[in-house]
Amino acid sequence: MKANGLIRTVYGNYWSVAILALILLVLFPLSMDIFRLNLVGKYLTYGFVAIGLVMLWGYAGVLSLGQGVFFGLGGYAMAMFLKLEASDPVSTAIQSTPGIPDFMDWNQLTALPWWWQPFHSLPFALFAVIAVPSLLALIISFAMFKRRVGGVYFAIITQAVALILSVLIIGQQGFTGGVNGITDLKTLLGWDIRSDSARYVLYFANAALLLGAIVLCRLIQQSKLGTLLLAMRDKEDRVRFSGYDVAMFKVFTFCLAAALSAIGGAMFALQVGFMSPSFVGIVPSIEMVIFAAIGGRMSLVGAIYGTLLVNFGKTYFSESFPDLWLFLMAALFIGVVMAFPNGLAGLYESHVKPWLAARRSKATKAAARVAPTAPTHRPTAPASPAAAAGELGLAGKISSQIA
Amino acid sequence: MSNTDFALAVEGLTVSFDGFKAIDDLTLYVDRGELRVVIGPNGAGKTTLLDLICGKTRASSGSIKFKNEEMSELPEHLIVRAGIGRKFQTPSIYENLSVFKNLEVSFPRGRGVIGALGFKCDQVVRDKIDEVAQLIGLADRLDVESGLLSHGQKQWLEIGMLLMQDPELLMLDEPIAGMSARERELTAELLLRICQNRSMIVIEHDMDFVSRIAHKVTVMHQGKILAEGSMAQVQADPKVIDVYLGH
C-alpha cells in the first residue's frame, strides 16, 4: 500500500506536467495566431528563469535578485552568433568596414574583437550559452557560499552583479551594441528565424525544452539532493554536521538556475530577434522573482503559470493603462506575498486539492459499496499510519512543493 | 605528543571571545568505548567544548586529536566524516520530512553533489533505517512527519540520525532536557545500548541520570576542568561541592 501510494504520488506529480504540456503544445498553438503564439513563446523563455528560481529560492532557500544576468549572458551568447551570421560582407557592404556587426561599425571599430571570433561557430555559441553563465555563477556562488554569505547579503550581491553587468554592456557600446543591444538578427545557419514557420518551430522547440527542464528539475527534487536542499533550508547546521558540504549544494543549485536562465535567454534571442541590456539589470531580475512568487515558489509548474499570467497581464494592462502597470504589478506582488505566500500553486494545494480529494473519496466509497471485498485505496479517514502520513503529512507538504 | 590509544585527545585547548576565555587551556582524554559525562554550572563552557570539537567554533590555540588525527583545522563536514557525530541541545531535525526521510538523509552515502543526485535508497539503507528506528523506538512512526513527534521522540530521532552514520565518537548536548521521567528512563537505556563500540560525550544536568549512565564524569567550571573521575569521587570532591553541587 505504501509503495503503491508512493508510485501514485510520483505519477501524480507528473500529471501536472502533462496538463501543462497539453496547454503549451496543443491548446495555445490551436487557439492563437502566430503573433500571439510568438508572444507566449517569449514569456515562456522567462519561464526558464522562473523554474530556476523555484529550485534556487523555493528549494534551496537562496534568493537571487540577479537572474537577469544569466538570462542576458545566455541571450547575448546566442545573439552574438546570430549577429555575426547576419553581418556577412555582402549585406554589410555599405559599412566602412564590411563584415562586422553594424553597431561596431557605427562605433568606429575596424575589426572584430578577438573574443567575438569564436562566435562564428554555432557549436561554440551553444556551448557558451551554458558555459559562460554557469562559470560566472560558479565563481560568484563559490566565493559567497564558501564564506557562508547568505540571505539578504547574497541577494544584494546578486543585485549588484546585475547592475554591474548592465552598466558594462551599456558602456561598452562598440563591443556590445550598448543600450540598443544586438538587433536585426535574421537567420540561423541560413534559416530565416523571422518567418512564421520558423516561429512555429521555435515555439515548439522552446516549449519542449521548457518541459524537459521541468522534468529534469523534478528528478532533482526527487533525488536525495532535493531532500537535502529542503533539509538545509530547515536546519542548515544539522545538514552540515551530518557530513555534507552545504556550500557545494548551494553552488550546484545556483549554477543550475543560471544555466536554465541562460537557455531561456538564448531562446529569447532566437524567438524575439534581439537581445538588449533591458533584460539584464535589476528591474527584469526582480520581475522574474515576481513571476516565481506569484506562480508559487515551491512549484515548477506553478512558476510557469505565474510567468504566463503576469506577462499576459502586463501586455494587457500596459496596452490599456501604461502608467499604472508598474504600480499594479507591485501591488500584485505585495498582495501575493501577504495573502498567499505559496502563490497560485499554494492556493491550489490548500483549496482545490482537498475538494478533489473529497470528491474522489466519495467515488471510492461508492465503488466500495458496489464491490465490498475490494480494498479501499484512499479512505478519507486514514486507516493506517502509513496512509495517514502519505495523505496528511509528508506527501501533502512535499507534493505541494513539487506540484 | 598524545597517546594513540585515546579516541579523543584534547590538549591545551583555549578559545577566547573578545578576551573572555570560554575554554581555558583545557586538556581532556576520552577512551575508546567510554561514556563520559560533562557537568558544570551554566556558562562553564560545556557546549563551547562540543562546538570546538565538532568544528562549529574554532579554537584560539590547542589541539584536538581524534584517533590521533588533528581535527582542529578541518572543515565541519570532514570532521563528521572522520567519525564525530554531534547532537544539538534543541532537537535539530528536519520537521517537514518524515521520520524515514530524516534517517535516510543522514545515511553516510552520496554525500557529494553527484553522489546525492545518484543516491538510491536500496536494501542496505532500508535495513539500516529499520535497525536504527527499532533502537530509538520509532519503528512504527517512520511515515510520520517528524514535526508531529513529541519532544522526546524528536530528541531520539536526532540521536537516530547520528546513529545512521555509525560515529565512533558521539557527542550529545543535554539529550534529556524537557523529557518526562519515563522518557528519561528510556533514553538512559538507549544511551547505554548505543555506547557499545563507540565513545560518547554527554552533557547533562540531571544527577540521577548522570550517575546512571556515566563511566566517568568531568566537572567543568569557568572554562577549566575542576574535577574528573567516577560519579562518587566527583560528588565527594569539596571543590565540586563548593562551585556546583552545593548550590
Side-chain angles (χ1 to χ4, degrees), chain B residues 144-171:
Chain B
V144 176
E145 187 180 332
S146 64
L148 302 174
L149 296 176
S150 74
H151 177 77
Q153 288 172 324
K154 286 180 186 175
Q155 299 277 37
W156 293 333
L157 176 58
E158 198 183 353
I159 294 173
M161 288 158 71
L162 295 170
L163 292 176
M164 287 299 291
Q165 304 163 24
D166 272 324
E168 286 174 67
L169 173 65
L170 189 55
M171 304 190 294

PDB file of all heavy atoms in Angstrom, chain B residues 144-171:
ATOM      1  N   VAL B 144       5.582   9.140   9.730  1.00  0.00           N
ATOM      2  CA  VAL B 144       5.030  10.352  10.338  1.00  0.00           C
ATOM      3  C   VAL B 144       5.929  11.537  10.012  1.00  0.00           C
ATOM      4  O   VAL B 144       7.158  11.413  10.003  1.00  0.00           O
ATOM      5  CB  VAL B 144       4.928  10.173  11.871  1.00  0.00           C
ATOM      6  CG1 VAL B 144       4.440  11.450  12.531  1.00  0.00           C
ATOM      7  CG2 VAL B 144       4.014   9.009  12.194  1.00  0.00           C
ATOM      8  N   GLU B 145       5.322  12.656   9.726  1.00  0.00           N
ATOM      9  CA  GLU B 145       6.094  13.883   9.539  1.00  0.00           C
ATOM     10  C   GLU B 145       6.753  14.201  10.877  1.00  0.00           C
ATOM     11  O   GLU B 145       6.089  14.239  11.914  1.00  0.00           O
ATOM     12  CB  GLU B 145       5.157  14.994   9.115  1.00  0.00           C
ATOM     13  CG  GLU B 145       5.868  16.265   8.742  1.00  0.00           C
ATOM     14  CD  GLU B 145       4.886  17.346   8.330  1.00  0.00           C
ATOM     15  OE1 GLU B 145       3.798  16.991   7.842  1.00  0.00           O
ATOM     16  OE2 GLU B 145       5.202  18.523   8.533  1.00  0.00           O
ATOM     17  N   SER B 146       8.061  14.419  10.846  1.00  0.00           N
ATOM     18  CA  SER B 146       8.774  14.438  12.127  1.00  0.00           C
ATOM     19  C   SER B 146       8.410  15.648  12.986  1.00  0.00           C
ATOM     20  O   SER B 146       8.567  15.599  14.201  1.00  0.00           O
ATOM     21  CB  SER B 146      10.279  14.379  11.891  1.00  0.00           C
ATOM     22  OG  SER B 146      10.683  15.528  11.201  1.00  0.00           O
ATOM     23  N   GLY B 147       7.895  16.701  12.380  1.00  0.00           N
ATOM     24  CA  GLY B 147       7.444  17.843  13.172  1.00  0.00           C
ATOM     25  C   GLY B 147       6.298  17.500  14.113  1.00  0.00           C
ATOM     26  O   GLY B 147       6.031  18.220  15.067  1.00  0.00           O
ATOM     27  N   LEU B 148       5.607  16.381  13.818  1.00  0.00           N
ATOM     28  CA  LEU B 148       4.454  16.000  14.641  1.00  0.00           C
ATOM     29  C   LEU B 148       4.849  15.122  15.821  1.00  0.00           C
ATOM     30  O   LEU B 148       4.012  14.785  16.653  1.00  0.00           O
ATOM     31  CB  LEU B 148       3.424  15.241  13.782  1.00  0.00           C
ATOM     32  CG  LEU B 148       2.897  15.999  12.567  1.00  0.00           C
ATOM     33  CD1 LEU B 148       2.012  15.099  11.722  1.00  0.00           C
ATOM     34  CD2 LEU B 148       2.126  17.237  13.009  1.00  0.00           C
ATOM     35  N   LEU B 149       6.122  14.754  15.902  1.00  0.00           N
ATOM     36  CA  LEU B 149       6.568  13.913  17.012  1.00  0.00           C
ATOM     37  C   LEU B 149       6.564  14.696  18.317  1.00  0.00           C
ATOM     38  O   LEU B 149       6.611  15.929  18.311  1.00  0.00           O
ATOM     39  CB  LEU B 149       7.993  13.411  16.749  1.00  0.00           C
ATOM     40  CG  LEU B 149       8.211  12.489  15.546  1.00  0.00           C
ATOM     41  CD1 LEU B 149       9.695  12.194  15.403  1.00  0.00           C
ATOM     42  CD2 LEU B 149       7.428  11.204  15.708  1.00  0.00           C
ATOM     43  N   SER B 150       6.534  13.947  19.422  1.00  0.00           N
ATOM     44  CA  SER B 150       6.659  14.607  20.719  1.00  0.00           C
ATOM     45  C   SER B 150       8.102  15.071  20.902  1.00  0.00           C
ATOM     46  O   SER B 150       9.000  14.633  20.181  1.00  0.00           O
ATOM     47  CB  SER B 150       6.282  13.636  21.831  1.00  0.00           C
ATOM     48  OG  SER B 150       7.317  12.690  22.004  1.00  0.00           O
ATOM     49  N   HIS B 151       8.292  15.929  21.892  1.00  0.00           N
ATOM     50  CA  HIS B 151       9.626  16.470  22.124  1.00  0.00           C
ATOM     51  C   HIS B 151      10.661  15.362  22.334  1.00  0.00           C
ATOM     52  O   HIS B 151      11.735  15.367  21.744  1.00  0.00           O
ATOM     53  CB  HIS B 151       9.590  17.399  23.338  1.00  0.00           C
ATOM     54  CG  HIS B 151      10.931  17.949  23.704  1.00  0.00           C
ATOM     55  ND1 HIS B 151      11.526  18.966  22.997  1.00  0.00           N
ATOM     56  CD2 HIS B 151      11.802  17.589  24.667  1.00  0.00           C
ATOM     57  CE1 HIS B 151      12.703  19.215  23.533  1.00  0.00           C
ATOM     58  NE2 HIS B 151      12.901  18.408  24.548  1.00  0.00           N
ATOM     59  N   GLY B 152      10.285  14.394  23.172  1.00  0.00           N
ATOM     60  CA  GLY B 152      11.215  13.294  23.466  1.00  0.00           C
ATOM     61  C   GLY B 152      11.540  12.497  22.214  1.00  0.00           C
ATOM     62  O   GLY B 152      12.700  12.149  21.966  1.00  0.00           O
ATOM     63  N   GLN B 153      10.514  12.245  21.411  1.00  0.00           N
ATOM     64  CA  GLN B 153      10.741  11.471  20.187  1.00  0.00           C
ATOM     65  C   GLN B 153      11.646  12.224  19.218  1.00  0.00           C
ATOM     66  O   GLN B 153      12.447  11.625  18.507  1.00  0.00           O
ATOM     67  CB  GLN B 153       9.400  11.159  19.521  1.00  0.00           C
ATOM     68  CG  GLN B 153       8.602  10.120  20.286  1.00  0.00           C
ATOM     69  CD  GLN B 153       7.206   9.944  19.734  1.00  0.00           C
ATOM     70  OE1 GLN B 153       6.584  10.908  19.285  1.00  0.00           O
ATOM     71  NE2 GLN B 153       6.709   8.725  19.760  1.00  0.00           N
ATOM     72  N   LYS B 154      11.501  13.559  19.209  1.00  0.00           N
ATOM     73  CA  LYS B 154      12.392  14.349  18.350  1.00  0.00           C
ATOM     74  C   LYS B 154      13.842  14.182  18.789  1.00  0.00           C
ATOM     75  O   LYS B 154      14.749  14.057  17.967  1.00  0.00           O
ATOM     76  CB  LYS B 154      12.009  15.830  18.409  1.00  0.00           C
ATOM     77  CG  LYS B 154      10.741  16.159  17.656  1.00  0.00           C
ATOM     78  CD  LYS B 154      10.429  17.645  17.753  1.00  0.00           C
ATOM     79  CE  LYS B 154       9.086  17.947  17.115  1.00  0.00           C
ATOM     80  NZ  LYS B 154       8.669  19.326  17.277  1.00  0.00           N
ATOM     81  N   GLN B 155      14.046  14.210  20.109  1.00  0.00           N
ATOM     82  CA  GLN B 155      15.410  14.022  20.622  1.00  0.00           C
ATOM     83  C   GLN B 155      15.952  12.660  20.196  1.00  0.00           C
ATOM     84  O   GLN B 155      17.099  12.541  19.778  1.00  0.00           O
ATOM     85  CB  GLN B 155      15.431  14.105  22.159  1.00  0.00           C
ATOM     86  CG  GLN B 155      14.973  15.442  22.729  1.00  0.00           C
ATOM     87  CD  GLN B 155      16.076  16.483  22.752  1.00  0.00           C
ATOM     88  OE1 GLN B 155      16.897  16.547  21.841  1.00  0.00           O
ATOM     89  NE2 GLN B 155      16.103  17.308  23.780  1.00  0.00           N
ATOM     90  N   TRP B 156      15.108  11.639  20.306  1.00  0.00           N
ATOM     91  CA  TRP B 156      15.555  10.298  19.908  1.00  0.00           C
ATOM     92  C   TRP B 156      15.823  10.249  18.419  1.00  0.00           C
ATOM     93  O   TRP B 156      16.767   9.609  17.982  1.00  0.00           O
ATOM     94  CB  TRP B 156      14.498   9.259  20.278  1.00  0.00           C
ATOM     95  CG  TRP B 156      14.327   9.107  21.743  1.00  0.00           C
ATOM     96  CD1 TRP B 156      15.259   9.348  22.700  1.00  0.00           C
ATOM     97  CD2 TRP B 156      13.140   8.692  22.436  1.00  0.00           C
ATOM     98  NE1 TRP B 156      14.732   9.122  23.944  1.00  0.00           N
ATOM     99  CE2 TRP B 156      13.436   8.711  23.815  1.00  0.00           C
ATOM    100  CE3 TRP B 156      11.860   8.310  22.035  1.00  0.00           C
ATOM    101  CZ2 TRP B 156      12.505   8.366  24.791  1.00  0.00           C
ATOM    102  CZ3 TRP B 156      10.940   7.949  22.987  1.00  0.00           C
ATOM    103  CH2 TRP B 156      11.247   7.984  24.355  1.00  0.00           C
ATOM    104  N   LEU B 157      14.982  10.912  17.661  1.00  0.00           N
ATOM    105  CA  LEU B 157      15.181  10.897  16.213  1.00  0.00           C
ATOM    106  C   LEU B 157      16.541  11.500  15.866  1.00  0.00           C
ATOM    107  O   LEU B 157      17.272  10.972  15.034  1.00  0.00           O
ATOM    108  CB  LEU B 157      14.067  11.668  15.505  1.00  0.00           C
ATOM    109  CG  LEU B 157      14.230  11.799  13.985  1.00  0.00           C
ATOM    110  CD1 LEU B 157      14.330  10.433  13.321  1.00  0.00           C
ATOM    111  CD2 LEU B 157      13.089  12.590  13.368  1.00  0.00           C
ATOM    112  N   GLU B 158      16.879  12.596  16.542  1.00  0.00           N
ATOM    113  CA  GLU B 158      18.179  13.197  16.217  1.00  0.00           C
ATOM    114  C   GLU B 158      19.316  12.257  16.591  1.00  0.00           C
ATOM    115  O   GLU B 158      20.304  12.143  15.864  1.00  0.00           O
ATOM    116  CB  GLU B 158      18.348  14.563  16.892  1.00  0.00           C
ATOM    117  CG  GLU B 158      19.467  15.352  16.221  1.00  0.00           C
ATOM    118  CD  GLU B 158      19.763  16.690  16.863  1.00  0.00           C
ATOM    119  OE1 GLU B 158      19.015  17.094  17.766  1.00  0.00           O
ATOM    120  OE2 GLU B 158      20.760  17.309  16.453  1.00  0.00           O
ATOM    121  N   ILE B 159      19.164  11.567  17.720  1.00  0.00           N
ATOM    122  CA  ILE B 159      20.183  10.575  18.075  1.00  0.00           C
ATOM    123  C   ILE B 159      20.233   9.497  16.997  1.00  0.00           C
ATOM    124  O   ILE B 159      21.307   9.074  16.551  1.00  0.00           O
ATOM    125  CB  ILE B 159      19.885   9.970  19.466  1.00  0.00           C
ATOM    126  CG1 ILE B 159      20.017  11.047  20.540  1.00  0.00           C
ATOM    127  CG2 ILE B 159      20.824   8.806  19.752  1.00  0.00           C
ATOM    128  CD1 ILE B 159      19.585  10.614  21.924  1.00  0.00           C
ATOM    129  N   GLY B 160      19.057   9.097  16.513  1.00  0.00           N
ATOM    130  CA  GLY B 160      18.986   8.094  15.452  1.00  0.00           C
ATOM    131  C   GLY B 160      19.670   8.551  14.180  1.00  0.00           C
ATOM    132  O   GLY B 160      20.359   7.774  13.507  1.00  0.00           O
ATOM    133  N   MET B 161      19.491   9.845  13.862  1.00  0.00           N
ATOM    134  CA  MET B 161      20.136  10.377  12.658  1.00  0.00           C
ATOM    135  C   MET B 161      21.647  10.274  12.765  1.00  0.00           C
ATOM    136  O   MET B 161      22.344  10.031  11.780  1.00  0.00           O
ATOM    137  CB  MET B 161      19.702  11.826  12.443  1.00  0.00           C
ATOM    138  CG  MET B 161      18.262  11.943  11.976  1.00  0.00           C
ATOM    139  SD  MET B 161      17.542  13.560  12.298  1.00  0.00           S
ATOM    140  CE  MET B 161      18.418  14.571  11.134  1.00  0.00           C
ATOM    141  N   LEU B 162      22.152  10.455  13.988  1.00  0.00           N
ATOM    142  CA  LEU B 162      23.594  10.313  14.184  1.00  0.00           C
ATOM    143  C   LEU B 162      24.000   8.845  14.090  1.00  0.00           C
ATOM    144  O   LEU B 162      25.044   8.515  13.528  1.00  0.00           O
ATOM    145  CB  LEU B 162      24.001  10.883  15.540  1.00  0.00           C
ATOM    146  CG  LEU B 162      23.804  12.384  15.673  1.00  0.00           C
ATOM    147  CD1 LEU B 162      23.993  12.822  17.111  1.00  0.00           C
ATOM    148  CD2 LEU B 162      24.786  13.116  14.783  1.00  0.00           C
ATOM    149  N   LEU B 163      23.151   7.977  14.636  1.00  0.00           N
ATOM    150  CA  LEU B 163      23.496   6.553  14.615  1.00  0.00           C
ATOM    151  C   LEU B 163      23.538   6.007  13.191  1.00  0.00           C
ATOM    152  O   LEU B 163      24.255   5.051  12.914  1.00  0.00           O
ATOM    153  CB  LEU B 163      22.485   5.754  15.444  1.00  0.00           C
ATOM    154  CG  LEU B 163      22.549   6.014  16.950  1.00  0.00           C
ATOM    155  CD1 LEU B 163      21.452   5.238  17.659  1.00  0.00           C
ATOM    156  CD2 LEU B 163      23.912   5.636  17.500  1.00  0.00           C
ATOM    157  N   MET B 164      22.780   6.620  12.283  1.00  0.00           N
ATOM    158  CA  MET B 164      22.822   6.207  10.882  1.00  0.00           C
ATOM    159  C   MET B 164      24.249   6.257  10.347  1.00  0.00           C
ATOM    160  O   MET B 164      24.597   5.538   9.429  1.00  0.00           O
ATOM    161  CB  MET B 164      21.950   7.125  10.018  1.00  0.00           C
ATOM    162  CG  MET B 164      20.461   6.970  10.164  1.00  0.00           C
ATOM    163  SD  MET B 164      19.853   5.341   9.740  1.00  0.00           S
ATOM    164  CE  MET B 164      20.099   5.289   7.966  1.00  0.00           C
ATOM    165  N   GLN B 165      25.036   7.146  10.915  1.00  0.00           N
ATOM    166  CA  GLN B 165      26.401   7.350  10.409  1.00  0.00           C
ATOM    167  C   GLN B 165      27.429   6.519  11.173  1.00  0.00           C
ATOM    168  O   GLN B 165      28.616   6.620  10.888  1.00  0.00           O
ATOM    169  CB  GLN B 165      26.780   8.824  10.510  1.00  0.00           C
ATOM    170  CG  GLN B 165      25.795   9.725   9.799  1.00  0.00           C
ATOM    171  CD  GLN B 165      25.914  11.167  10.233  1.00  0.00           C
ATOM    172  OE1 GLN B 165      26.953  11.590  10.708  1.00  0.00           O
ATOM    173  NE2 GLN B 165      24.836  11.921  10.085  1.00  0.00           N
ATOM    174  N   ASP B 166      26.976   5.751  12.155  1.00  0.00           N
ATOM    175  CA  ASP B 166      27.881   4.963  12.975  1.00  0.00           C
ATOM    176  C   ASP B 166      29.108   5.747  13.436  1.00  0.00           C
ATOM    177  O   ASP B 166      30.246   5.340  13.189  1.00  0.00           O
ATOM    178  CB  ASP B 166      28.351   3.715  12.201  1.00  0.00           C
ATOM    179  CG  ASP B 166      27.391   2.572  12.418  1.00  0.00           C
ATOM    180  OD1 ASP B 166      26.860   2.459  13.541  1.00  0.00           O
ATOM    181  OD2 ASP B 166      27.165   1.797  11.471  1.00  0.00           O
ATOM    182  N   PRO B 167      28.911   6.861  14.105  1.00  0.00           N
ATOM    183  CA  PRO B 167      30.076   7.645  14.514  1.00  0.00           C
ATOM    184  C   PRO B 167      30.865   6.921  15.605  1.00  0.00           C
ATOM    185  O   PRO B 167      30.275   6.205  16.411  1.00  0.00           O
ATOM    186  CB  PRO B 167      29.459   8.927  15.061  1.00  0.00           C
ATOM    187  CG  PRO B 167      28.102   8.535  15.518  1.00  0.00           C
ATOM    188  CD  PRO B 167      27.655   7.421  14.623  1.00  0.00           C
ATOM    189  N   GLU B 168      32.155   7.104  15.598  1.00  0.00           N
ATOM    190  CA  GLU B 168      32.969   6.481  16.639  1.00  0.00           C
ATOM    191  C   GLU B 168      32.982   7.333  17.896  1.00  0.00           C
ATOM    192  O   GLU B 168      33.302   6.861  18.975  1.00  0.00           O
ATOM    193  CB  GLU B 168      34.388   6.248  16.133  1.00  0.00           C
ATOM    194  CG  GLU B 168      34.448   5.097  15.154  1.00  0.00           C
ATOM    195  CD  GLU B 168      35.813   4.965  14.542  1.00  0.00           C
ATOM    196  OE1 GLU B 168      36.757   4.629  15.267  1.00  0.00           O
ATOM    197  OE2 GLU B 168      35.926   5.233  13.330  1.00  0.00           O
ATOM    198  N   LEU B 169      32.698   8.606  17.707  1.00  0.00           N
ATOM    199  CA  LEU B 169      32.537   9.487  18.870  1.00  0.00           C
ATOM    200  C   LEU B 169      31.213  10.213  18.719  1.00  0.00           C
ATOM    201  O   LEU B 169      30.958  10.870  17.723  1.00  0.00           O
ATOM    202  CB  LEU B 169      33.684  10.507  18.944  1.00  0.00           C
ATOM    203  CG  LEU B 169      33.527  11.590  20.021  1.00  0.00           C
ATOM    204  CD1 LEU B 169      33.555  10.987  21.415  1.00  0.00           C
ATOM    205  CD2 LEU B 169      34.614  12.645  19.886  1.00  0.00           C
ATOM    206  N   LEU B 170      30.375  10.040  19.726  1.00  0.00           N
ATOM    207  CA  LEU B 170      29.045  10.637  19.661  1.00  0.00           C
ATOM    208  C   LEU B 170      28.951  11.656  20.783  1.00  0.00           C
ATOM    209  O   LEU B 170      29.232  11.345  21.941  1.00  0.00           O
ATOM    210  CB  LEU B 170      28.008   9.526  19.853  1.00  0.00           C
ATOM    211  CG  LEU B 170      26.539   9.840  19.625  1.00  0.00           C
ATOM    212  CD1 LEU B 170      26.314  10.412  18.249  1.00  0.00           C
ATOM    213  CD2 LEU B 170      25.726   8.555  19.776  1.00  0.00           C
ATOM    214  N   MET B 171      28.599  12.894  20.436  1.00  0.00           N
ATOM    215  CA  MET B 171      28.507  13.951  21.448  1.00  0.00           C
ATOM    216  C   MET B 171      27.060  14.406  21.557  1.00  0.00           C
ATOM    217  O   MET B 171      26.452  14.811  20.564  1.00  0.00           O
ATOM    218  CB  MET B 171      29.399  15.120  21.054  1.00  0.00           C
ATOM    219  CG  MET B 171      30.839  14.699  20.832  1.00  0.00           C
ATOM    220  SD  MET B 171      31.952  16.094  20.664  1.00  0.00           S
ATOM    221  CE  MET B 171      31.405  16.818  19.149  1.00  0.00           C
TER     222      MET B 171
END
